[in-house]
Amino acid sequence: MISALARLEIAAARLKEVEVEREFAAYETLRDHAPERLALAASLLANTAFANGDYARAAWASSLWTARLADCGTDQERDDASQLHEVAALIAKAPPAGVSGNGLRIATKRDKAGLMRAPLTIDGIDQMAVLDTGANLPVLSASLARKLHLHMIDGDASVGSSSRDSVPTRIGIARDVSFAGFKFRNLPFLVLADSALTLPVSGGYRINAIIGFPMLRAIGSFTFGKGFFEPAPALTTGPRNLTAAGNDLFVSVKLGSFQVPLHLDTGAKNSELSARFAKRYPEALRNLVRSTERSAGAGGAVTQSVAQWTNVPISIADVSAVVPVLPIVIGEPEDVADETLGTLGWDVLQQFSAYTIDIGNMRFRPESDKS
């Protein structure tokens, strides 16, 4: 039982949908009776199908996941399964999506909140959008969706947020989206209230569009550089240092003496280590200065107690840098559940002259900024 489930987990971490289907079928034939393992198997199938854009399959598998959580699991797991099912079932009603094109280099820039923005065209209207590997779907504000006369799928859903339990959403379908030389057809967007995309930045700040994981997954391999984004050749050599949990990418990072997978999030201005990291590696907290910080994201903001780890040596794929300050969350509000060890954001990624993400081969390759 355990070895069959392990093979399924490995396939899911590599986003290999055909292998996941095969290993799930093999596991099911064993007729396991452990509720936790049965729920885990369904969750791996559901999240992999969703990450690969097979929303009908994701809707079916997330329904199975929900049913299996009736005998086990936490409230957070039940919420995750329910949210995934709601969103997948809505998108499954839309016409099939598609992508074509060869790709080209485009300019990027940092906005006043420190987020990376790039141009795209949605149904003939040009727009600057945040480039966010941490967004599970592309996102539009409700006001921009109305301006675009976006086709809205009947039905409501909710999505998770780093700063709130859930945020109400609807699904809108854009007929034609152009980005970095690619043309996307029938592209689904999460449509969020403007208030959910308004951040507490001096002078006012709102995000109207986010380029998320599905668009980047379709491109496959791409490079972020200083002031540019471009599709890139596949990385056929080097360590396979990327793994996936559904639409979330994780990169293996060495921080001091700790080798940990961190959530790769180009939409995060600052990197941080989670309360889960603090519990797993309490020795990292020794003699660190502690303070209180407020972090903001789509949906709201939270105040957290953190320890400040300074001058942290970091290494990814044998490329090294030093992070001046890396916060470690000590305790989190009860309504925030962070199951990761931490986030790798722009403050660390900017230490490299460029970095390539190859989702097909699950490789992350940074380039040294040292002359």
Side-chain angles (χ1 to χ4, degrees):
M1 300 287 185
I2 295 176
S3 61
L5 191 58
R7 289 192 297 271
L8 175 56
E9 289 184 282
I10 291 171
R14 295 172 179 168
L15 286 183
K16 302 298 185 183
E17 188 174 14
V18 172
E19 293 180 15
V20 167
E21 289 283 355
R22 182 178 66 243
E23 297 300 341
F24 177 80
Y27 169 76
E28 292 290 290
T29 63
L30 300 176
R31 301 188 182 280
D32 195 357
H33 296 291
E36 295 83 1
R37 293 199 296 265
L38 287 166
L40 175 58
S43 75
L44 294 169
L45 178 64
N47 280 290
T48 303
F50 192 94
N52 283 285
D54 189 349
Y55 299 112
R57 185 62 169 166
W60 178 87
S62 57
S63 179
L64 177 64
W65 181 18
T66 299
R68 290 180 173 182
L69 285 172
D71 298 323
C72 64
T74 64
D75 289 342
Q76 181 64 55
E77 288 172 327
R78 295 185 187 96
D79 286 345
D80 289 344
S82 176
Q83 289 181 11
L84 183 65
H85 177 72
E86 289 173 350
V87 173
L90 288 178
I91 300 177
K93 298 178 183 179
V99 61
S100 60
N102 296 317
L104 53 82
R105 176 183 286 206
I106 58 172
T108 61
K109 65 177 183 180
R110 291 283 164 183
D111 63 20
K112 68 178 183 179
L115 300 181
M116 184 190 305
R117 296 200 180 226
L120 80 163
T121 303
I122 306 173
D123 289 346
I125 296 180
D126 295 334
Q127 181 69 42
M128 293 297 291
V130 172
L131 266 168
D132 188 357
T133 58
N136 288 346
L137 283 172
V139 177
L140 290 180
S141 66
S143 59
L144 180 56
R146 287 193 296 269
K147 179 181 178 181
L148 293 166
H149 302 290
L150 212 66
H151 172 65
M152 305 300 295
I153 302 296
D154 289 337
D156 299 314
S158 60
V159 292
S161 167
S162 61
S163 49
R164 291 182 185 173
D165 281 340
S166 63
V167 178
T169 187
R170 294 192 66 193
I171 301 297
I173 306 298
R175 293 183 299 275
D176 295 291
V177 176
S178 297
F179 169 67
F182 289 91
K183 292 186 178 296
F184 298 84
R185 300 177 304 281
N186 299 322
L187 185 67
F189 282 86
L190 292 178
V191 178
L192 302 180
D194 289 11
S195 59
L197 294 169
T198 300
L199 305 186
V201 176
S202 178
Y205 177 90
R206 190 176 73 209
I207 298 170
N208 281 317
I210 298 175
I211 296 167
F213 179 86
M215 297 174 68
L216 300 174
R217 175 79 173 94
I219 294 172
S221 182
F222 43 88
T223 297
F224 289 91
K226 293 189 180 299
F228 72 89
F229 169 94
E230 65 180 351
L235 299 178
T236 57
T237 61
R240 294 185 185 273
N241 53 358
L242 278 181
T243 54
N247 284 33
D248 294 326
L249 292 175
F250 294 82
V251 60
S252 180
V253 178
K254 187 173 185 181
L255 300 169
S257 60
F258 307 107
Q259 190 79 39
V260 294
L262 296 183
H263 182 210
L264 179 59
D265 189 354
T266 60
K269 180 182 177 181
N270 298 311
S271 304
E272 72 172 17
L273 300 176
S274 69
R276 186 180 179 191
F277 175 92
K279 292 177 182 178
R280 181 175 295 185
Y281 303 108
E283 62 271 29
L285 300 174
R286 291 173 188 159
N287 303 317
L288 297 186
V289 175
R290 303 189 179 198
S291 63
T292 300
E293 288 189 354
R294 185 173 175 82
S295 61
V302 293
T303 300
Q304 300 172 321
S305 297
V306 300
Q308 304 290 352
W309 189 5
T310 59
N311 299 317
V312 184
I314 180 173
S315 179
I316 304 175
D318 297 327
V319 176
S320 300
V322 175
V323 183
V325 179
L326 185 59
I328 304 175
V329 177
I330 300 172
E332 294 177 319
E334 292 182 0
D335 63 344
V336 176
D338 191 348
E339 296 299 322
T340 72
L341 293 178
T343 298
L344 186 69
W346 174 70
D347 57 337
V348 172
L349 295 172
Q350 71 167 344
Q351 301 277 341
F352 310 116
S353 59
Y355 51 94
T356 298
I357 301 170
D358 184 346
I359 300 176
N361 290 300
M362 300 306 285
R363 289 187 170 98
F364 177 93
R365 179 181 292 171
E367 297 178 19
S368 175
D369 205 13
K370 299 177 182 179
S371 57

